[in-house]
Amino acid sequence: MNYTYLLRCSDSSLYCGWTNHLEERLKTHNAGKGAKYTKSRRPVTLAYYEAWETKEEAMKREAAIKKMTKREKEALAAELRIIISPAKKMQVKADELPWKNMPVLIEKTEALKEKLQSFTEPELKKLFAANDAITHQNYLRYRDMDLRRNMTPAALSYVGIQYQYMAPQIFSEAQWEYICRHLRILSGFYGILRADDAVVPYRLEMQAKLPTEGAKDLYGYWRDELYRELYRLEKGAGRVKVLNLASKEYSSAVEPWLKPEDEFATCIFGTMKDGKVKVKATEAKMARGEMVRFLAERNAMGFETVKQFDRLGFSYAPELSDGSRFVFLKNEVE
């Protein structure tokens, strides 16, 4: 494999190069032997990279990046965050991988829990628009709910098509670390979750009409807090860019708060029919989960790797895409 990379130098500038041994090349730069530019600007850290099949592709990309403006290079080096939706069905898996932290908005979750514990079973049935069995299961869950007992890492707790194709339970250690850093799950109950945040089973969709603390629904309850947490800078990150793999129900909790300078790109998985892109819900869920796995396997740091996605029969359609909309088409056999 060949790589085009960006290094963050000690003076905060960025250096671009290419190599076929990324880790060794980073060590060489920090030993003062990598390049004249980095020798006087040590230590350097890896800010961004792209993987390519051939040396020629990596060198061509290096040349293109070197022609970019500083702003464009900084956009490449921004921290990648991936957002996905939760699943309605959940499980307890407390014995597989340890959870790391409590959700960042747990106090607001406590308020929702207390609100829902005050509901009768018929009131919950109306809120959930669910059958009697699902309603009763979740009535008992809320009645006995303790947010700090029998907890499961969020990415292992949800059971649905997207999570089946992501298959986090069989990730390597490096892949699990990747999603813990880059993945965020949007939730009507918890707000926003990292992969290893501690959760308990619940039922509460983002579109539920649940008046709480003066807000008429959950979008009003969470306001801009999901957006602010999603774009919150962490140590070592100068900017954040977001890949949206969530459904409209959940991405709508973030999108209204976006600022013109925010990088936010939505993946669309569909087929061409009558000159239009048609999205099949089940196939889209499968592709979203497979995309997370694809990115984790490559330790992806940017949108260029996203565009290389080629699984489940999908391929990137540049003619239908732009900076905020990545379209992947599936060729169906007639």
Side-chain angles (χ1 to χ4, degrees):
M1 191 63 72
N2 298 272
Y3 304 92
T4 308
Y5 62 89
L6 282 172
L7 299 179
R8 177 74 66 186
C9 300
S10 60
D11 62 358
S12 295
S13 63
L14 290 169
Y15 170 85
C16 182
W18 83 271
T19 183
N20 50 17
H21 295 290
L22 190 58
E23 291 184 8
E24 292 180 15
R25 188 62 177 165
L26 179 60
K27 292 177 182 177
T28 300
H29 277 288
N30 274 317
K33 301 176 182 179
K36 183 178 179 180
Y37 185 86
T38 58
K39 183 176 182 179
S40 60
R41 293 172 172 83
R42 293 176 287 160
V44 298
T45 57
L46 184 64
Y48 175 79
Y49 74 86
E50 297 169 5
W52 300 95
E53 291 293 333
T54 67
K55 168 183 173 181
E56 289 72 25
E57 289 175 309
M59 294 179 70
K60 182 178 179 181
R61 181 61 172 160
E62 177 195 22
I65 291 175
K66 285 184 173 179
K67 293 178 181 178
M68 291 181 177
T69 64
K70 184 177 187 300
R71 180 179 177 84
E72 290 171 329
K73 291 176 184 176
E74 288 290 349
L76 277 184
E79 169 90 356
L80 177 65
R81 306 233 171 110
I82 307 160
I83 57 173
I84 63 174
S85 305
K88 292 180 182 178
K89 187 177 179 181
M90 299 182 71
Q91 63 184 352
V92 175
K93 287 284 186 179
D95 57 345
E96 291 192 2
L97 285 170
W99 56 270
K100 185 175 181 180
N101 295 305
M102 294 299 293
V104 67
L105 300 174
I106 190 64
E107 291 183 5
K108 296 204 72 168
T109 302
E110 288 277 10
L112 287 175
K113 182 198 77 168
E114 292 174 8
K115 176 82 173 182
L116 290 163
Q117 285 178 327
S118 72
F119 277 36
T120 64
E121 196 161 340
E123 287 173 332
L124 284 179
K125 179 177 174 65
K126 182 178 179 181
L127 178 69
F128 297 153
N131 61 37
D132 290 342
I134 290 174
T135 299
H136 186 65
Q137 178 191 46
N138 286 280
Y139 171 75
L140 296 177
R141 278 177 173 170
Y142 282 117
R143 186 193 68 183
D144 303 324
M145 184 175 285
D146 183 338
L147 296 177
R148 290 169 172 80
R149 291 186 60 193
N150 296 323
M151 299 174 291
T152 302
L156 301 181
S157 182
Y158 295 104
V159 181
I161 294 172
Q162 181 172 2
Y163 290 85
Q164 290 170 12
Y165 277 77
M166 180 169 63
Q169 69 276 7
I170 59 172
F171 274 170
S172 68
E173 183 177 350
Q175 291 161 4
W176 177 253
E177 289 177 358
Y178 177 88
I179 66 167
C180 289
R181 175 172 178 175
H182 295 281
L183 187 67
R184 301 292 186 273
I185 303 168
L186 304 183
S187 163
F189 189 56
Y190 283 102
I192 189 167
L193 296 162
R194 292 174 180 264
D196 55 357
D197 279 351
V199 301
V200 298
Y202 68 91
R203 186 181 183 91
L204 187 65
E205 296 176 51
M206 186 65 79
Q207 62 189 1
K209 302 296 183 182
L210 180 64
T212 306
E213 296 186 358
K216 67 178 182 179
D217 57 22
L218 290 172
Y219 295 108
Y221 179 70
W222 291 113
R223 288 184 53 77
D224 65 342
E225 293 197 62
L226 278 62
Y227 162 80
R228 288 192 287 110
E229 288 298 331
L230 182 60
Y231 280 89
R232 186 182 300 280
L233 295 179
E234 298 180 358
K235 184 178 180 180
R239 293 177 60 176
V240 170
K241 54 180 175 249
V242 174
L243 182 70
N244 175 25
L245 295 175
S247 66
K248 193 65 178 176
E249 175 187 351
Y250 286 90
S251 65
S252 292
V254 171
E255 290 179 282
W257 305 98
L258 293 173
K259 300 173 183 177
E261 65 270 22
D262 290 331
E263 293 179 84
F264 186 91
T266 299
C267 284
I268 298 170
F269 301 95
T271 57
M272 286 298 294
K273 187 174 183 180
D274 300 326
K276 296 181 180 180
V277 178
K278 300 292 184 181
V279 176
K280 296 179 181 179
T282 299
E283 285 189 346
K285 290 177 182 178
M286 293 162 58
R288 289 167 183 159
E290 195 69 47
M291 175 66 86
V292 175
R293 168 164 285 280
F294 175 85
L295 298 175
E297 289 173 353
R298 284 157 179 75
N299 194 29
M301 301 177 76
F303 291 156
E304 287 303 313
T305 305
V306 174
K307 296 173 185 177
Q308 296 173 18
F309 180 76
D310 59 356
R311 297 183 178 178
L312 303 179
F314 287 101
S315 59
Y316 180 62
E319 71 281 4
L320 299 174
S321 305
D322 55 34
S324 63
R325 185 174 184 263
F326 300 158
V327 178
F328 295 84
L329 294 180
K330 185 173 185 178
N331 294 320
E332 293 193 321
V333 179
E334 298 293 338

